[in-house]
Amino acid sequence: VLGSGYGILNGELVDSNGGADNLMVNSSSQTVTDGIVTVDVKGFSSPSNPDLSVMVRYQDNNNYYLIHPYGSTLSIYERLSGTYYLRASAAISPIVLGRSYRLQVTLDQGNIYVYWDSAFVVYWTDTTPWLSGKVGFRQCLYRKVHWDNMTVTSGGPGKLVSNDDYDPWGMVLE
């Protein structure tokens, strides 16, 4: 894992220091091509809008897609050369602090489909996409966020690429 400011609390990945702009990605050589990323996200913060973001097809700190549930909007951003570009967004019910939500991102070539609590919300097609990259998390502006039950599967028959589960004391389960 590459990044800082994260830890395990009650079996969930948490932003442990609430930094201004923390990124965490899988630093192994595994990358995700076409497939599905799912994760449970939960915000604990003040002010009341948690940043429950997930990064997909991460190339480096300046280039990736950001799936950004925030307030009552779910957006897809593309970060290019360090600048965020809003590519698509849609309304969702306002995020409730302390409630867990299921976020799913389906990647198919240049198409990005996003589901929120099992309902399709928004998509965007990149005409010059990154076709692979890592998966990670981003939180900013000192908001406390928890991520749990993350799975990453490839396209095709659904080969499991990566899956970690933790006990309530932060130890990896076999």
Side-chain angles (χ1 to χ4, degrees):
V1 172
L2 172 67
S4 62
Y6 292 89
I8 302 297
L9 178 64
N10 298 323
E12 297 176 335
L13 177 68
V14 301
D15 171 45
S16 58
N17 73 357
D21 193 8
N22 290 334
L23 303 178
M24 187 186 89
V25 296
N26 177 350
S27 64
S28 72
S29 61
Q30 292 274 355
T31 61
V32 176
T33 56
D34 289 346
I36 300 171
V37 176
T38 56
V39 63
D40 294 331
V41 295
K42 184 175 9 176
F44 299 92
S45 101
S46 181
S48 61
N49 290 323
D51 176 359
L52 308 176
S53 295
V54 173
M55 299 180 299
V56 294
R57 293 195 173 154
Y58 173 93
Q59 308 298 303
D60 57 42
N61 283 351
N62 292 310
N63 298 284
Y64 52 86
Y65 300 117
L66 182 71
I67 311 306
H68 184 62
Y70 181 78
S72 58
T73 305
L74 199 153
S75 302
I76 300 172
Y77 285 91
E78 183 178 23
R79 184 162 169 109
L80 287 171
S81 301
T83 301
Y84 287 105
Y85 297 94
L86 177 62
R87 300 304 190 193
S89 65
I92 57 175
S93 296
I95 295 171
V96 176
L97 295 179
R99 181 178 182 266
S100 184
Y101 296 90
R102 186 73 164 165
L103 177 63
Q104 176 183 314
V105 182
T106 300
L107 304 164
D108 179 21
Q109 297 294 304
N111 302 303
I112 301 173
Y113 304 90
V114 183
Y115 299 79
W116 186 248
D117 271 354
S118 301
F120 171 73
V121 175
V122 67
Y123 79 98
W124 173 61
T125 300
D126 187 347
T127 57
T128 57
W130 296 299
L131 295 177
S132 65
K134 298 176 188 290
V135 175
F137 308 99
R138 182 202 133 211
Q139 87 68 46
C140 66
L141 302 175
Y142 302 95
R143 292 174 165 93
K144 297 292 184 181
V145 180
H146 294 198
W147 298 270
D148 198 13
N149 302 316
M150 181 176 206
T151 57
V152 179
T153 56
S154 70
K159 175 185 164 194
L160 185 64
V161 176
S162 175
N163 187 8
D164 288 325
D165 201 5
Y166 296 88
D167 67 22
W169 301 276
M171 301 299 293
V172 176
L173 293 172
E174 296 296 323

